[in-house]
Amino acid sequence: MSFSLSGKTAIVTGAASGLGLAIARHLIDKGVRVMLADADEAKLSAEMGEAAQGDGPVRLFPGDLTRKLTLVNLVSATVDAFDRSIAGLAVGIGG
């Protein structure tokens, strides 16, 4: 049995560094549509900005995810960006 991630949609938090960045890169390599979130907008753009050009499969969402409204906006932005519900959630802990 094979399990393909291609064409799925995911949110990766802590995507500017560490485990979140590694997960983001892995999912992108597997063909997943990914919304990358991190509080450090400059680092997020520096690490993943080139992959997130235009309306492609990679998008960036800078924000403080300790705030409830920011989380709601993250999910809403992901659904709007990819015109679909979210199939998975990968959580990274940045350092």
Side-chain angles (χ1 to χ4, degrees):
M1 174 192 281
S2 70
F3 178 74
S4 175
L5 294 174
S6 182
K8 303 290 185 191
T9 302
I11 294 172
V12 179
T13 62
S17 64
L19 183 60
L21 179 58
I23 290 169
R25 289 181 173 156
H26 178 75
L27 292 175
I28 291 165
D29 287 346
K30 296 295 182 185
V32 176
R33 293 180 202 95
V34 185
M35 181 66 77
L36 306 174
D38 201 283
D40 189 339
E41 182 175 3
K43 191 166 185 178
L44 183 62
S45 292
E47 289 291 345
M48 301 304 296
E50 191 171 308
Q53 298 296 319
D55 290 335
V58 179
R59 307 289 176 89
L60 304 182
F61 186 92
D64 180 358
L65 300 178
T66 63
R67 299 179 182 265
K68 193 181 293 187
L69 183 57
T70 305
L71 286 172
V72 171
N73 289 338
L74 171 59
V75 173
S76 179
T78 304
V79 171
D80 288 347
F82 302 119
D83 197 30
R84 62 187 312 134
S85 61
I86 301 165
L89 180 64
V91 178
I93 301 170

